[in-house]
Amino acid sequence: MTDKFSPDLTKTFPCEQTIGYYFQDKTLLWEALQTDGSPNCPADNPRYEVGNKRLAIVGNLAMDLLLTSIWHSTGNTSAVLDSTKLTTLSKPSLEHVAKRNELYRYIIRRPGTLFDVETLSTAVEAIVGAAYLDGGMTAAKRVVQKLEIGI
């Protein structure tokens, strides 16, 4: 099956400026900005049926790996790593990152929904995941540093 869907990429460039990374595959960033139920996501395409949640899983794992790599070089205990992960990668912490960087300006959500902690934190994870898939760990790290995620 060929994907003939062509997303509107008009919000990707301003978002790229905010996050400090310019995508080769801009559809990855577009997908990261779509919430579950976004009116822009075609219902018949499994890639987009849950909005940015698939990319959020990738982003969460990329941030976890970045955090773990940094921890490894410190010599700290695994308890320190666990505590740092709980605070740095928590939904409220990532929501704060989204608000501080005004990422809500680019997120496309289902009509009538609010920018709650779940929506904003998932978008941050998805943006990092999109950067990882587009440019590897170097790209994900650049976005994490630009957004000041605390890793």
Side-chain angles (χ1 to χ4, degrees):
M1 178 174 129
T2 305
D3 184 7
K4 295 187 186 231
F5 174 67
S6 180
D8 176 8
L9 302 175
T10 55
K11 285 196 174 189
T12 59
F13 181 70
C15 186
E16 287 173 318
Q17 291 178 304
T18 298
I19 67 174
Y21 178 73
Y22 296 87
F23 284 77
Q24 297 298 312
D25 181 356
K26 297 194 184 305
T27 62
L28 285 167
L29 179 56
W30 177 88
E31 182 181 346
L33 298 175
Q34 308 302 311
T35 64
D36 187 17
S38 165
N40 295 336
C41 292
D44 61 343
N45 188 323
R47 176 177 175 181
Y48 304 119
E49 71 182 340
V50 291
N52 58 7
K53 289 185 178 184
R54 292 165 45 95
L55 280 173
I57 293 168
V58 175
N60 183 275
L61 291 170
M63 289 188 290
D64 188 278
L65 182 57
L66 278 169
L67 192 63
T68 303
S69 298
I70 292 167
W71 162 82
H72 182 266
S73 66
T74 67
N76 286 329
T77 65
S78 60
V80 171
L81 173 64
D82 292 341
S83 174
T84 304
K85 283 182 186 181
L86 283 173
T87 55
T88 304
L89 302 181
S90 71
K91 297 285 184 191
S93 178
L94 295 176
E95 174 194 31
H96 179 71
V97 167
K99 287 180 177 178
R100 183 178 65 240
N101 289 281
E102 299 181 351
L103 296 177
Y104 50 80
R105 295 182 298 161
Y106 316 114
I107 299 169
I108 307 299
R109 59 198 158 101
R110 178 180 45 222
T113 60
L114 302 174
F115 286 119
D116 59 6
V117 65
E118 181 68 24
T119 300
L120 293 172
S121 62
T122 299
V124 172
E125 292 169 331
I127 289 168
V128 173
Y132 174 78
L133 291 178
D134 190 66
M137 193 55 79
T138 301
K141 185 175 182 178
R142 182 182 306 165
V143 171
V144 163
Q145 289 173 333
K146 177 69 174 176
L147 296 178
E148 298 176 353
I149 292 178
I151 295 177

